[in-house]
Amino acid sequence: MKLIASPTSPYARKVRMVLAEKNIPFELIIDIPWNADTDVPKFNPLGKIPVLVLEGGETLYDSRVIVEYLEDVKPWPLLIPVDAQDRIAVKKWEALADGVADAAATIFLERKRPEAQQSPDWIARQMRKIENGLATMETSVAGSWCAGEAFTLADIAVGSTLGYLSLRFPEIKWRETHARLARIETALLQRASYKDTTPPPA
Ligand SMILES: N[C@@H](CCC(=O)N[C@@H](CS)C(=O)NCC(=O)O)C(=O)O
């Protein structure tokens, strides 16, 4: 299978980490969806990465669908709990982490526009999502890992988003203000799946 991704996308990093944790072989195709010559719309009508291309040519998106698919294909190591309540808790973590990444990516794009066209109110609204999201994550950490004592997709999603914040918003010193999240990231840094998917410096 092939994964179409960019090196900096937190959503693609989430999928790459799941593939690495499950030791599933894949070919990484780097394609930046913002480039004029991108092929991403040929694989995803929404023009977004990540896209997983299966052996028969079928394409899967978005990252949440892809990680569900990978869990089905190779359930071990288990990253999404089987128990319904635990499963929903982990998926909620994923939604929160992805939502913070969405807000961060929105600000990143807004700041690329000519200064006169940028909306400070819009940026402030997105920044509140980041701050509130981080605060909720911090108080929700339930044990050694985000969702309790087991390493799950929750930690992968949170780590991908924290890594993206460090890349694009180094001024948000989340490590200094969110001790539990800092502890989670320190633990993630022990794992090859996280270390090997570190985005290149901005
Ligand atoms: N919800 C999607 C978000 C994917 C996404 O927004 N990817 C960005 C890159 S980080 C993208 O491809 N943007 C291109 C565009 O919006 O046209 C997922 O989880 O896969």
Side-chain angles (χ1 to χ4, degrees):
M1 62 180 79
K2 295 178 184 169
L3 180 72
I4 307 175
S6 83
T8 55
S9 166
Y11 319 101
R13 186 180 192 183
K14 190 175 59 171
V15 173
R16 289 164 67 198
M17 283 186 70
V18 168
L19 286 161
E21 289 288 340
K22 290 183 177 290
N23 205 12
I24 299 175
F26 70 103
E27 184 186 344
L28 181 64
I29 312 266
I30 297 294
D31 194 333
I32 315 297
W34 305 108
N35 289 354
D37 62 350
T38 179
D39 282 328
V40 173
K42 293 180 190 158
F43 297 93
N44 176 355
L46 304 174
K48 295 185 180 196
I49 48 104
V51 182
L52 191 70
V53 186
L54 305 183
E55 293 307 328
E58 190 190 342
T59 54
L60 294 182
Y61 47 84
D62 62 5
S63 65
R64 292 189 216 178
V65 173
I66 298 172
V67 298
E68 285 273 356
Y69 171 79
L70 296 173
E71 191 73 11
D72 252 18
V73 172
K74 195 167 180 201
W76 193 256
L78 202 71
L79 295 176
I80 305 176
V82 175
D83 172 79
Q85 208 177 334
D86 295 345
R87 185 181 186 89
I88 291 298
V90 164
K91 295 299 285 182
K92 187 176 161 190
W93 268 104
E94 185 186 20
L96 181 58
D98 283 9
V100 170
D102 291 344
T106 302
I107 298 177
F108 180 69
L109 293 174
E110 181 74 3
R111 285 185 177 159
K112 279 188 158 182
R113 282 153 48 92
E115 208 168 335
Q117 289 175 25
Q118 292 178 24
S119 163
D121 286 351
W122 180 244
I123 291 176
R125 184 180 173 86
Q126 304 306 320
M127 197 54 89
R128 280 197 297 278
K129 294 179 200 288
I130 297 177
E131 288 162 4
N132 293 340
L134 285 174
T136 300
M137 286 186 204
E138 175 71 9
T139 53
S140 304
V141 171
S144 310
W145 293 103
C146 289
E149 294 313 315
F151 173 78
T152 67
L153 176 64
D155 307 292
I156 290 177
V158 166
S160 299
T161 289
L162 294 176
Y164 183 73
L165 287 179
S166 299
L167 174 75
R168 297 294 190 214
F169 300 86
E171 70 276 16
I172 303 178
K173 302 209 178 300
W174 61 266
R175 278 190 148 268
E176 291 173 15
T177 43
H178 300 78
R180 292 176 188 169
L181 296 181
R183 172 170 61 73
I184 299 283
E185 203 208 27
T186 299
L188 281 167
L189 283 163
Q190 307 304 311
R191 304 180 88 91
S193 63
Y194 192 65
K195 260 190 311 191
D196 296 351
T197 53
T198 303

